[in-house]
C-alpha cells in the first residue's frame, strides 16, 4: 500500500513541482496557505491533470504523462474530503452519505452508514438537506460520504478545521482505526500540528510548490532545521513506545528508549507499541533530578545541539537513550543551567501534557 | 362550454394539445443532449450545431416548413426511407405536426437548458466522480437534478411555442381536419373571412387558457426544483 | 402630413409579380414612384379599417372590399373591378392523369381517380378565396363529397401550388395566374367559369387618398398595364 | 454582392437590422426588470405578470399583431394618446415594427434572464449588503455581472427572434417598402408569388448570415462572461 | 461601544434563544459545531430575521421585533467575515477588497488597502480572480474586505480556521490593534481556545442554541464548571499583568498579583497593562520551591479547589496572591503531593509555554 507522486504543473505564476512517497498509514501534507497542498491532492484525485509526471497507487498507475490516458477520477476509488464540503444540495444528508456506496469496489470492506453517522454525530441530520446545515455539520457529512465510498485511499483536505475539539476527539480515533485496520492509506492536509503529529506516519512539508522535507513523522517533526517552518509552537518529537502495564489509577506505564513514561490510560494492552509526541515547549530541563514535582515523567539525557530561535528562546536537542527529544527554553535559562552540547540534563515532562490527542498508535 | 365551441373546434384543441405534448416530450431528451454538447462539448462542429439549432428561430416559419417538406415529404429521400423502414409517415400527418412544432420550439428549449447546465457547479460533479460514479450516473443524479429549473423552463417554453406554432406546421403538414388542423390553423382560417373574428378570439382564449395552465404547473414544479437545488 | 410620402398601394400578395412590373412601367414614364405593400387581402382590409396610410387598395376578392365599403372606408365612386382570374386543376410533373376535353374540367372528369392515393392541394376552403372558389366548383361538379376528405389545405394558393410543384400532392387547384408562372406544374384544365362565383380583383381609392393615387389607379387599366397583367395569366376584362 | 440583392432587398435587410437592434436594446432593461420581479418578487400580481409575459408566445402572432393594432393603432386610444402627447406614431411605422418584434421576443428574453437570476447565489448579494452596498448597487455590481451569461443568451434569442419575426409585424405595421418591409416581410412577399422562391431564399440566406454573426459574437461574449462568473 | 443581543428564533427543529451583551473589545462566541453561533452572527448582521427579540449597537436599535422594521444589512455597517469566504467571483481580489470602501461611514477611520493587503500577505494576489485562490488565500481576502469597509463592528465567523500558524500569528496582532485602537467591537466565532484566549475580552459559551455562560474572559475561561465543555486541553486562566521592564536578553518582566513573570519580549513599554494566559496543562505543582530548572516562572499559591476530570487527571484551582491559576495534574501526583484545599504549593510555569499567541493586550 503506497502512493507515489512525482508531478510538475504550472498554475498561472505558481509552479508546482513535487515528488514524494506516501507509504501505508497517514501521510500529512503540511505547509502554509498557498503552498500547493490542495493542488497536489487534486492531481492525485484526477481532478487536475499535471503537465508532466506520474502518480501510482500500489503499482497501479493512475496517471503518467508519458504513457497516455490517465485513469478517470471515478475509477481511482479515492475518497476525497474537500476543503469546502461540496455536498450535493438536492440530496438529503442520508443520500449524500450513501452516494458512493453503490460504487464501492467489490470485496472492499464497506462501513455501515449508521455506524458512520453515529460516529460523526450526524444521525439527527439524516433527513435534512445540506443547505440547512452548519459549517461543521457539513464538514462531518463530507467526511462520512468519503468514508462510506469504501475507497482505496482517503484524501482529506483539512477535514477537521471547522470542528470543535470535542468533535475532533471523536473523529480522530476513527481515522486512526481506518489507518491501522483497513490498511487504507490516507493523504491528510492540515495546518494543525497536533492532528498531524497524532495521525501522521509520514510527513511531507511543502513550501511554495516544492517539497521541503519528507519522511517518517518522527524524523521530520524533530528536525531542528524545520522549526522555523513548522512554527516554534509546533516543534516537538515523536517517540516510539511500548506499553508496559496499566495502573489502577488510570495511568499507563510505557517504556521508551530513554526510560519510562506515565500517560493517561490509552486502552491498549501491555506489549502494544505506540507513539507519543512530546512538544518542545512542554519540556523543562533541570541540572539535577528534581523531586516533589507533580510531573511524573523525568528523563535523563544528554544535550546534542542547541539552536537559537527568533526572540529569546533556544531549542535544545537531547539524546535520551537513543531517542531524540526537543526542549524549548529561554536563552536566560540555557545560560543559567549552562546548557551546551555534551551536558547531562534531566527533562521534566508533565505526563498530562502528552495529551490524549497527541497519543497515536504507531 | 361545449356549445361555445363546435365539435370541429374541440377537435382542433385536442389535436393541438396532443401535438404540443408530444413535441415537448420527444424533444426534451434531444434538447438536453444538444444543450449538453453545446455547453460542455469541445468538438469541432460545435458552432455549426449551435447555428443549426438556432435556424428555426431565424428563418421564417414557412421556409422551415418548406424545408421539412423537401426533407421529410413523401417524395423526399428521408421521408421515403422513414416510411419504408419504420412505416413512419410524417407529411400530412399529425406526426409531422409534432415534428414541425418540435423543431420550431427547439431553439427555445435548448437555450433554457443550456443556461441551466452552465449554472451547475462542476465541482459537485467532480465530487460525485471521486465517489466512484461514472459520468452517465453523475449526469443523471447530479447534473440533471441541478438543472431541473432550466429543464422545466425549457419544456414550458417549448410547449407554449408548440401550442402557438402555425407557419411551419401548415406548410409541412397542411390543414387536414382531425389530423393536422391545429388550433392556430383554425384561428387563421377564421381570421381570413369577414366576421370570423368572434370564433377566432374564442379559440385564442382556449389556447391561452391551456397554455397558462401549463405555465402555472411549471411554476409550481420550478419552485420546488429551485428549493431542492438550493438545498433547502 | 402624408403629402410628401409616395403613393402607397395595399395589394393582395398574389399580385406581386404583375403589379411590381406595372409599377416599374409607371415610374419609367416619369411618374412619382409608388410603394406597394403586399399582404393577404383580409389583413390589408383590417389595416385600412384601422387607419393604415394607404391610398389605394387592390383586393384579391370582393368580400373584403365590400366589408370596407360597408364601413365607409373606401371611395365608392372609385371602386372598379381591375382583373379577373380563372381556377385551374394542376398536376405534378410525375402525376399520370388523363387529359381533359377542351382543357375544361367537367363533372365527368374523375379527379379522385386521377389523385390515386395522393391528396388534392387547395387553399383553405373555408377561408382563403381560392379555396372558397375551389369548393364551389367541386360542389358544382358534384365531386366535393368524394374529395373533401382528401384535401390538403394550405394557408394560401401559393403554398398549394408549392405542394404540387414539389410532388407532395399529385394534383391541386390554383389560379391560372399562379399556374402559368410555375414551370414545374402542368395545367390539366380550367374549371368552368360558372362553377364558382366570378373571381374578381376589385380596386378602390381610400377616402383621403393623395392626389397622385387616382392617376395610378387609372394607369392600371391602360393597355400597357393590361398587357402585363395578361402575360401573368390574369384576365383584364371584367365583363366577358 | 450588391448585384445579388436589389436595392429594395438591401433596404429590407437594413431595416430588419435596425428593428432587431432597437427591439433588443430597448427591451433589455424591461426584460431584466420583469425577470427580476418574476424571480424575486413576492407581490400579488406575480402570476398575472408571468402569464402576460408569455402571451406573445402562446397567441398566434397574427393575433398579437392585431391586438397591437387595436391598442396602438391610429384610431386606438393608446395610439392616439401617444401620438398627441409624444408625437410617437407606432402603427405602420418602423417604430411599430420595433414594438412588435420586441413584444414577440420578450418571453424568450425574460425566460433566459430569469433563469440566470435564479442561478445567482443570494449569499453573495448578502455579502455585498454587509459591506454597506444599497440594494441597487448590489444589483448593479454583483447580481447583474453574475447573470451576464443569461443576459447575453436572452439578448441573442431576442435579436434572432426579432430578425425572424413576421406575423405580428406585418399585422401591426403592414409591409410598406422602406418603412415596415422587414426581411421576413420581403421574404413573405416573394414566397406568395410563383417564381419568387429564388429571391426569397437569397433573403433567407442573408437573414441567416446576419443572425449567425450575432450568434457567434454572443458566444464569444458569453464565454468571457462565464469565465468571469466562475472567477477565473 | 456595546452590542446587546436578545433574540429567539426557530430553524426547523433547532431552537435558538440567546441573550448576551458584547461590550467593547472582542466577544468570543464559543460552542460546539451546530450550537447556533453562525445563526447569532447572521441575526446581528441582518441576514436572518429572528422571530422575536431585540438587537442594539450602542443604543442604535438594529432590530426590534416589537417596534417594526429592522435596519437593512447595508445600513448596519458591520464587517462580516463569513464562515465560507463568499468572495465576488467576477471581481479581482483588489476589487473585492475595495468593494466596501465607498460605503464607509463618513468620518470613519479608513484603513489603507495596501496596508491591509500587506498585512494579510495577499499583495501578490491583487490582480487575480477568487476562483484561482487557495482556501486560505480566499479567507484572507475576505478578512481584508471586511476590515476595509470601515465597519462599526466586526463579525468574524471562524476567520482563521483555514490559516496556518504563521499566518495566524501575523493577523492576530492586527485584530488586537483593531480592538484596542479603533475601538471597534468584534464578535468572534472560533473553536480555537488559543485564539479566543488571546483576543477575547468577553466570552459567550453556547450550547444547543442557548447561552451557557457569558462574562469577562478571565472569569469564564477559568470557570472549573466549564472545563468539560471547553475541553480539558483548553482549560486555563487569564491573568492581568503590568509590564515592569524589558531585559536585554529579550525577556519582559511582568508583575502579576501573585509575583513576577518572565515572558518573551512583547514590545510593550514598562507600565503597560496586558493579559497572559496560562493553560492548566502547562502548570507543574511542587511541594517546595524548586531550583535548577529551566522554567523561570515559579509562583507561590494556595489550593482552593480540586475537581476530578474524566480519566486520571484532576484540575487544581490555585489562588496566587488574588489571581486564579488552574493546574492540571494526575490524580497520582495529587496524592503524592498531598494536594488538598488549603495546601500551599509552588506553581512552575515555563515562561515560553506562555506562547506569543497567548499573550494579548487587555
Ligand atoms: N489559475 C491559477 N493561477 C495562478 N495561481 C494559481 C491558480 N490556481 C492556483 N494558484 C495558486 O497556487 C497556489 C497553490 O494553491 P493550493 O490551493 O494548492 O494551496 P493550498 O496549499 O491548498 O493552500 P490553503 O492551505 O490556503 O488551502 C496558491 O498560491 C494559488 O494562488
Ligand atoms: N432550516 C433549518 N432547519 C433545521 N435546522 C436548521 C436549519 N438551519 C439551521 N439549522 C440548525 O441550526 C443549528 C445551528 O446552526 P449554526 O450554523 O448557527 O451552527 P454553528 O454554531 O455556526 O455551527 P458550526 O460551528 O458547525 O458552524 C445547526 O444544528 C443546524 O443544523
Ligand atoms: Mg487548500
Ligand atoms: Mg457556523
Amino acid at each position: 500500500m503506497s502512493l507515489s507522486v512525482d508531478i510538475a504543473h504550472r498554475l498561472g505564476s505558481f509552479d508546482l513541482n513535487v515528488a514524494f512517497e506516501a507509504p501505508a498509514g497517514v501521510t500529512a501534507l503540511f505547509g502554509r496557505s498557498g503552498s500547493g497542498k490542495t493542488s497536489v491532492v487534486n492531481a492525485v484525485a484526477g481532478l487536475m491533470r499535471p503537465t508532466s509526471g506520474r502518480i501510482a497507487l500500489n503499482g497501479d498507475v493512475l496517471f503518467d504523462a508519458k504513457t497516455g490516458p490517465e485513469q478517470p477520477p471515478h475509477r481511482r476509488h479515492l475518497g476525497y474530503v474537500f476543503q469546502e464540503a461540496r455536498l450535493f444540495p438536492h440530496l438529503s444528508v442520508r443520500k449524500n452519505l450513501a452516494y458512493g456506496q453503490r460504487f464501492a469496489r467489490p470485496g472492499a470492506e464497506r462501513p455501515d452508514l449508521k455506524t458512520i453517522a453515529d460516529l460523526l454525530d450526524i444521525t439527527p441530520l439524516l433527513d435534512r438537506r445540506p443547505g440547512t446545515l452548519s459549517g461543521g455539520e457539513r464538514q462531518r457529512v463530507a467526511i462520512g460520504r468519503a468514508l462510506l465510498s469504501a475507497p482505496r485511499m482517503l484524501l482529506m483536505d483539512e477535514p477537521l478545521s471547522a470542528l470543535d475539539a470535542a468533535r475532533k476527539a471523536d473523529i480522530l480515533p476513527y481515522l486512526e482505526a481506518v489507518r491501522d485496520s483497513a490498511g487504507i492509506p490516507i493523504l491528510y492536509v492540515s495546518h494543525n500540528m497536533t492532528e498531524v503529529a497524532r495521525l501522521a506516519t509520514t510527513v511531507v512539508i511543502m513550501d511554495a510548490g516544492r517539497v521541503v522535507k519528507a519522511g517518517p513523522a518522527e524524523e521530520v517533526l524533530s528536525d531542528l532545521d524545520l522549526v522555523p517552518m513548522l512554527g516554534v509552537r509546533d516543534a516537538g518529537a515523536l517517540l516510539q513506545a511500548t506499553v508496559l502495564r496499566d495502573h489502577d489509577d488510570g495511568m499507563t506505564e510505557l517504556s521508551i528508549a530513554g526510560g519510562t513514561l506515565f500517560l493517561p490510560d490509552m486502552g491498549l494492552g501491555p506489549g502494544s507499541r505506540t507513539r507519543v509526541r512530546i512538544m518542545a515547549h512542554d519540556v523543562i530541563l533541570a541540572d539535577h533530578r528534581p523531586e516533589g514535582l507533580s510531573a511524573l515523567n523525568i528523563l535523563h539525557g544528554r544535550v546534542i545541539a542547541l539552536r537559537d530561535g527568533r526572540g529569546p528562546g533556544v531549542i535544545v536537542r537531547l539524546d535520551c537513550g537513543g531517542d531524540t527529544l526537543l526542549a524549548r527554553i529561554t536563552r536566560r535559562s540555557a545560560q543559567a543551567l549552562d546548557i551546551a552540547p555534551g551536558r547531562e540534563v534531566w527533562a521534566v515532562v508533565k505526563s498530562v501534557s502528552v495529551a490524549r490527542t497527541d497519543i497515536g498508535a504507531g | 362550454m361545449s356549445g361555445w365551441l363546435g365539435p370541429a373546434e374541440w377537435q382542433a384543441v385536442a389535436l393541438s394539445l396532443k401535438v404540443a405534448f408530444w413535441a415537448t416530450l420527444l424533444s426534451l431528451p434531444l434538447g438536453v443532449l444538444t444543450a449538453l454538447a453545446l455547453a460542455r462539448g469541445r468538438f469541432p462542429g460545435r458552432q455549426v450545431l449551435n447555428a443549426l439549432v438556432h435556424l428555426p428561430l431565424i428563418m421564417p416559419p414557412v421556409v422551415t416548413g418548406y424545408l421539412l417538406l423537401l426533407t421529410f415529404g413523401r417524395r423526399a429521400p428521408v421521408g421515403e426511407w422513414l416510411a419504408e423502414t419504420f412505416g413512419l409517415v410524417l407529411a400530412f400527418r399529425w406526426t409531422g405536426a409534432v415534428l414541425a412544432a418540435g423543431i420550431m420550439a427547439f431553439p427555445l428549449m435548448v437555450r433554457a437548458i443550456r443556461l441551466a447546465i452552465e449554472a451547475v457547479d462542476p465541482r459537485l460533479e467532480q465530487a460525485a466522480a471521486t465517489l466512484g460514479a461514472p459520468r452517465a450516473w453523475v449526469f443523471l443524479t447530479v447534473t440533471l437534478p441541478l438543472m431541473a429549473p432550466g429543464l422545466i423552463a425549457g419544456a414550458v417554453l417549448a410547449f407554449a411555442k408548440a401550442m402557438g406554432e402555425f407557419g411551419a406546421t401548415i406548410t409541412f403538414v397542411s390543414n387536414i381536419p382531425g389530423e393536422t388542423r391545429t388550433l392556430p390553423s383554425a384561428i387563421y382560417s377564421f381570421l381570413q373571412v369577414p366576421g370570423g373574428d368572434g370564433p377566432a378570439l374564442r379559440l385564442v382564449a382556449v389556447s391561452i387558457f391551456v397554455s397558462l395552465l401549463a405555465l402555472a404547473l411549471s411554476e409550481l414544479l420550478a419552485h420546488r426544483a429551485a428549493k431542492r437545488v438550493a438545498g433547502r | 402630413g402624408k403629402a410628401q410620402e409616395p403613393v402607397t398601394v395595399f395589394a393582395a400578395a398574389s399580385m406581386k409579380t404583375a403589379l411590381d412590373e406595372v409599377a416599374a412601367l409607371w415610374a419609367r414614364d416619369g411618374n412619382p414612384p409608388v410603394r406597394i405593400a403586399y399582404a393577404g387581402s383580409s389583413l390589408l382590409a383590417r389595416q385600412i379599417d384601422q387607419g393604415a396610410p394607404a391610398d389605394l387598395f387592390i383586393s384579391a376578392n370582393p368580400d373584403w372590399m365590400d366589408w370596407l365599403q360597408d364601413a365607409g372606408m373606401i371611395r365608392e365612386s372609385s371602386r372598379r373591378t381591375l382583373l379577373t382570374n380563372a381556377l385551374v386543376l394542376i398536376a405534378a410533373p410525375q402525376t399520370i392523369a388523363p387529359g381533359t376535353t377542351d382543357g375544361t374540367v367537367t363533372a365527368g372528369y374523375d379527379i379522385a381517380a386521377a389523385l390515386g392515393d395522393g391528396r388534392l392541394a387547395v387553399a383553405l376552403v373555408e377561408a382563403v378565396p381560392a379555396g372558397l372558389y375551389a369548393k364551389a366548383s367541386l360542389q358544382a361538379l358534384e365531386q366535393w363529397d368524394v374529395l373533401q376528405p382528401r384535401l390538403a389545405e394550405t394557408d394560401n394558393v401559393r403554398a398549394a401550388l408549392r405542394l404540387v410543384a414539389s410532388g407532395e400532392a399529385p394534383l391541386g387547384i390554383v389560379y391560372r395566374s399562379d399556374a402559368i408562372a410555375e414551370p414545374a406544374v402542368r395545367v390539366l384544365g380550367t374549371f368552368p367559369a360558372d362553377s364558382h362565383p366570378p373571381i374578381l380583383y376589385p380596386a378602390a381609392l381610400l377616402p383621403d387618398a393623395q392626389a397622385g393615387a387616382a392617376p395610378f389607379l387609372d394607369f392600371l387599366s391602360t393597355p400597357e398595364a393590361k398587357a402585363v397583367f395578361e402575360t401573368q395569366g390574369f384576365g383584364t376584362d371584367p365583363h366577358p
Side-chain angles (χ1 to χ4, degrees), chain A, chain B, chain C:
Chain A
M1 276 294 168
S2 145
L3 173 80
S4 107
V5 175
D6 179 356
I7 50 170
H9 192 65
R10 211 182 158 74
L11 287 160
S13 61
F14 178 77
D15 231 343
L16 187 73
N17 200 331
V18 295
F20 63 87
E21 291 285 323
V26 175
T27 300
L29 271 186
F30 192 86
R32 0 202 294 155
S33 165
S35 57
K37 307 179 294 297
T38 300
S39 308
V40 168
V41 180
N42 280 340
V44 173
L47 304 181
M48 182 195 86
R49 193 184 193 284
T51 327
S52 66
R54 187 170 181 283
I55 302 172
L57 179 62
N58 308 329
D60 176 16
V61 178
L62 303 182
F63 164 77
D64 191 331
K66 287 208 201 75
T67 61
E70 74 259 33
Q71 272 190 26
H74 72 273
R75 294 255 183 70
R76 299 192 183 192
H77 289 289
L78 309 174
Y80 191 165
V81 180
F82 296 89
Q83 198 166 0
E84 352 78 70
R86 300 204 194 178
L87 301 182
F88 305 123
H90 58 297
L91 300 180
S92 68
V93 168
R94 188 191 309 279
K95 285 194 177 149
N96 264 282
L97 288 172
Y99 192 90
Q101 280 187 319
R102 88 172 54 220
F103 305 107
R105 290 157 301 138
E109 200 188 312
R110 296 163 183 237
D112 176 52
L113 195 146
K114 222 193 120 357
T115 313
I116 296 282
D118 284 344
L119 167 81
L120 296 164
D121 200 7
I122 49 180
T123 308
L125 311 176
L126 284 178
D127 294 317
R128 297 247 301 272
R129 288 265 169 71
T132 67
L133 301 184
S134 80
E137 287 164 350
R138 262 194 287 272
Q139 201 58 24
R140 281 179 275 154
V141 176
I143 294 172
R145 186 176 67 170
L147 290 173
L148 284 166
S149 71
R152 290 197 286 177
M153 177 169 184
L154 270 172
L155 310 175
M156 311 190 88
D157 198 351
E158 306 193 27
L160 307 183
S161 68
L163 295 183
D164 51 288
R167 253 43 174 271
K168 275 184 190 169
D170 288 345
I171 297 173
L172 277 172
Y174 183 81
L175 292 181
E176 284 171 350
V178 166
R179 176 190 66 185
D180 299 329
S181 67
I184 298 173
I186 302 179
L187 189 60
Y188 193 95
V189 175
S190 176
H191 298 126
N192 187 319
M193 188 42 79
T194 310
E195 276 169 43
V196 169
R198 169 161 183 175
L199 283 173
T201 40
T202 306
V203 173
V204 177
I205 313 264
M206 288 187 62
D207 190 39
R210 296 275 181 296
V211 172
V212 176
K213 171 107 189 174
E218 294 89 342
E219 204 182 299
V220 175
L221 294 182
S222 56
D223 186 338
L224 280 191
D225 291 338
L226 294 177
V227 168
M229 169 141 291
L230 300 179
V232 185
R233 282 225 88 201
D234 288 327
L238 277 182
L239 308 182
Q240 294 288 349
T242 309
V243 176
L244 289 181
R245 70 189 67 88
D246 291 329
H247 292 261
D248 290 345
D249 58 359
M251 301 299 285
T252 296
E253 192 177 345
L254 297 152
S255 130
I256 57 169
T260 55
L261 283 179
F262 287 90
L263 294 181
D265 192 0
M266 299 182 299
L268 302 166
S272 343
R273 296 185 50 73
T274 182
R275 274 180 332 145
V276 295
R277 170 166 168 76
I278 298 173
M279 305 292 279
H281 67 79
D282 279 337
V283 177
I284 297 176
L285 298 184
D287 54 7
H288 62 284
R289 183 176 184 92
E291 305 285 336
L293 285 186
S294 64
L296 293 175
N297 299 308
I298 298 172
L299 301 172
H300 183 247
R302 184 190 311 276
V303 174
I304 300 172
L306 260 88
R307 173 177 297 259
D308 274 14
R310 280 192 306 179
V314 292
I315 300 257
V316 183
R317 182 168 182 158
L318 303 176
D319 173 80
C320 292
D323 271 343
T324 297
L325 208 66
L326 298 188
R328 182 155 156 253
I329 63 177
T330 59
R331 197 171 295 121
R332 173 178 293 203
S333 299
Q335 277 157 11
L337 297 182
D338 201 12
I339 303 285
R343 173 85 149 112
E344 302 223 344
V345 291
W346 278 259
V348 181
V349 180
K350 282 197 64 176
S351 63
V352 279
S353 81
V354 184
R356 185 80 190 94
T357 51
D358 276 344
I359 310 165
Chain B
M1 186 135 157
S2 57
W4 196 56
L5 292 182
E9 278 77 53
W10 278 119
Q11 205 179 34
V13 171
L15 182 65
S16 263
L17 275 173
K18 181 164 86 169
V19 166
F21 173 79
W22 284 109
T24 308
L25 198 75
L26 293 179
S27 53
L28 254 182
L30 203 66
V32 171
L33 279 183
T34 311
L36 207 61
L38 290 177
R40 300 274 178 87
R42 289 284 161 274
F43 52 98
R46 220 180 116 252
Q47 284 311 319
V48 177
L49 177 66
N50 194 21
L52 223 64
V53 166
H54 280 82
L55 273 191
L57 192 69
I58 301 165
M59 292 195 301
V62 179
V63 175
T64 306
Y66 193 49
L67 289 179
L68 284 177
L69 197 61
L70 292 182
T71 316
F72 296 99
R74 314 189 153 207
R75 301 277 146 104
V78 183
E80 249 177 304
W81 177 77
L82 280 177
E84 276 167 26
T85 320
F86 303 103
L88 178 68
V89 177
L90 294 168
F92 305 126
R93 293 283 169 82
W94 72 273
T95 46
V98 170
L99 179 67
I103 281 188
M104 293 300 288
F106 205 60
L108 314 187
M109 175 181 271
V110 169
R111 264 291 170 181
I113 299 178
R114 181 174 165 187
L115 270 178
I117 292 178
E118 282 166 350
V120 171
D121 188 347
R123 291 177 311 167
L124 294 177
E125 298 171 319
Q126 288 183 345
T130 65
L131 291 167
R135 283 179 72 144
W137 186 259
V138 173
F139 179 74
L140 283 176
T141 59
V142 177
T143 319
L144 206 60
L146 288 179
M147 64 194 232
L151 217 64
I152 294 165
V156 76
L157 274 179
F159 184 84
K161 175 74 195 171
M163 281 295 290
E165 214 301 305
F166 165 63
T169 307
I170 197 168
T171 307
F172 180 37
V173 294
S174 183
N175 176 40
I176 300 162
E179 182 76 34
T180 62
R181 190 172 194 251
T182 59
L183 216 43
S185 293
I187 294 170
Y188 177 81
S189 300
F190 280 121
L191 284 176
Q192 292 305 305
V193 286
D197 292 10
L201 287 181
R202 277 210 290 279
L203 286 181
V204 169
V206 172
S207 171
I208 290 175
F209 176 77
V210 168
S211 297
L212 291 191
L213 221 65
L215 191 67
L217 190 75
S218 80
E219 287 290 324
L220 216 100
L221 288 175
H223 183 72
R224 286 216 201 131
K227 253 181 84 175
R228 264 177 82 96
V229 169
R232 261 170 281 125
Chain C
K2 61 180 175 182
Q4 57 272 58
E5 285 181 1
V7 167
T8 304
V9 181
F10 273 25
S14 54
M15 304 178 62
K16 178 175 163 59
T17 315
L19 205 55
D20 275 351
E21 208 172 310
V22 173
L25 288 178
W26 165 258
R28 207 186 48 201
D29 291 351
N31 294 299
V34 296
R35 50 180 197 182
I36 310 172
Y38 295 106
S41 305
S42 62
L43 178 60
L44 294 173
R46 284 181 209 277
Q47 288 177 335
I48 288 167
D49 185 46
Q50 287 299 320
D55 300 300
L56 172 63
F57 176 43
I58 308 173
S59 173
N61 81 352
D63 293 353
W64 284 106
M65 191 61 93
D66 294 344
W67 183 76
L68 276 181
Q69 186 169 336
D70 292 347
M73 295 303 292
I74 58 167
R75 270 189 225 165
E76 241 174 279
S77 57
S78 69
R79 176 170 175 169
R80 70 194 71 170
T81 297
L82 207 57
L83 303 170
T84 65
N85 213 335
L87 213 54
V88 296
L89 179 67
I90 55 171
Q94 55 274 75
T95 306
I96 302 158
T100 51
T101 32
D102 308 337
T104 305
V105 184
T106 57
Y109 186 83
D110 189 352
I111 299 178
L115 265 182
D117 62 350
R119 286 182 174 270
L120 177 65
V122 289
L124 289 166
V125 292
E126 302 293 347
V128 177
L132 294 166
Y133 297 136
K135 180 180 175 183
S137 285
L138 292 178
Q139 280 172 333
L141 302 182
E142 295 185 333
Q143 300 201 26
W144 172 249
D145 292 341
V146 187
L147 287 173
Q148 191 192 5
R150 316 217 12 214
L151 299 178
E153 290 175 79
T154 62
D155 53 330
N156 57 62
V157 200
R158 182 69 188 91
L161 181 64
R162 202 173 281 125
L163 275 184
V164 178
S166 67
E168 284 304 317
L171 300 177
I173 302 176
V174 300
Y175 293 130
R176 183 176 61 210
S177 59
D178 291 315
I180 277 182
E182 177 57 75
V185 300
R186 187 154 49 95
V187 175
L188 290 178
T190 306
F191 285 93
D194 58 3
S195 68
H196 56 76
I199 304 171
L200 305 175
Y201 292 71
L205 293 173
L206 302 198
D208 46 1
Q210 302 179 49
F216 181 68
L217 176 55
D218 291 338
F219 179 74
L220 296 178
S221 306
T222 58
E224 203 181 353
K226 281 185 171 173
V228 173
F229 285 127
E230 275 161 20
T231 11
Q232 295 293 332
F234 290 102
T236 50
D237 184 2
H239 309 291

